[in-house]
Amino acid sequence: MSETAKIALVTGASRGLGAAIAHRLAKDGFLVLINFVSNEDQARELQNAIQQAGGKVELCGFDVSKSDQVDEKFDWIAKTFGPVAVLVNNAGITIDSLLMRMKDADLDKTLDVDLKGAIFCTRAATKQMMRARQGSVIQISSVVGESGNAGQSAYAAAKAGLIGFSKSVAKELASRQIRVNVVTPGFIETDMTGALTEVQKEAILRSIPLGFLGAPEDVAELVAFLASPVSRYITGQVIGVNGGMYM
């Protein structure tokens, strides 16, 4: 890493997977921009923790589902810090519902954040990467986008769409040395899995050949690899971190 730290933006970074990814990229010397929408207090706690560990970090609040906010913020980033070298599209929501009970508003919100938000940020970031003729975009999809899951059709559609989108833009941008890859986590120990009952956890563990839930750091390590020059010959790939539950 040069004296001027490269810029890495992690969306939805105030907690969970995003926070672990932010910590890991800061450890590698990136200036990490922590995106958040409403959890500013958690984002500041993460900022303090990374700074105490010796990392470089700044807060970067905006709503990924609003294209005008995305474009405005990426222009500000380029003028204030420099071009984004690594984009991690981690922001996402899930509103579980059987198809017959799905509300239009819930479908729109899921697609707006999980799919369109990643598209908006990828478009804005790669404009800067094209001028620099290098960059890495890492999409955080889900094993559900590969396997499907009852009660999560909207979420699965968004996460599957992210895979098709990423493969397409990987082909568009490869000539400019911009790599686009997808990480598909399985069941990872976060706030969401912490709310599961013991019966639910046991059922999940039976579906995982390795027999345990992953940790956010398992995902963060793969993201760090894909963000680094060590992975320079990898693009357009979908890599699972799921303990073998989907092969």
Side-chain angles (χ1 to χ4, degrees), residues 145-167:
E146 299 174 294
S147 66
N149 193 35
Q152 290 191 305
S153 57
Y155 179 71
K159 293 301 188 179
L162 194 53
I163 292 173
F165 165 73
S166 300
K167 287 179 174 289

Side-chain angles (χ1 to χ4, degrees), residues 94-111:
T94 178
I95 305 174
D96 295 348
S97 172
L98 294 173
L99 178 61
M100 294 300 106
R101 299 175 181 171
M102 185 185 299
K103 298 178 181 178
D104 289 356
D106 292 342
L107 172 61
D108 289 342
K109 188 172 182 179
T110 301
L111 295 177

Side-chain angles (χ1 to χ4, degrees), residues 102-184:
M102 185 185 299
K103 298 178 181 178
D104 289 356
D106 292 342
L107 172 61
D108 289 342
K109 188 172 182 179
T110 301
L111 295 177
D112 283 348
V113 176
D114 293 11
L115 180 57
K116 290 172 67 176
I119 293 174
F120 293 154
C121 289
T122 300
R123 181 176 63 187
T126 54
K127 287 179 182 179
Q128 300 178 15
M129 293 176 181
M130 286 178 71
R131 289 192 288 270
R133 299 191 68 84
Q134 62 178 341
S136 177
V137 178
I138 303 152
Q139 319 281 20
I140 306 300
S141 179
S142 169
V143 66
V144 172
E146 299 174 294
S147 66
N149 193 35
Q152 290 191 305
S153 57
Y155 179 71
K159 293 301 188 179
L162 194 53
I163 292 173
F165 165 73
S166 300
K167 287 179 174 289
S168 298
V169 295
K171 291 183 177 181
E172 291 181 14
L173 299 170
S175 64
R176 299 297 183 95
Q177 304 304 303
I178 299 169
R179 298 178 295 108
V180 185
N181 291 290
V182 183
V183 176
T184 55

Side-chain angles (χ1 to χ4, degrees), residues 50-68:
I50 291 175
Q51 288 175 336
Q52 289 173 9
K56 301 181 181 71
V57 61
E58 296 287 346
L59 299 187
C60 193
F62 65 92
D63 186 342
V64 300
S65 70
K66 308 296 184 185
S67 63
D68 55 341

Side-chain angles (χ1 to χ4, degrees), residues 208-220:
I208 302 172
L210 284 181
F212 61 92
L213 299 182
E217 290 74 21
D218 295 321
V219 178

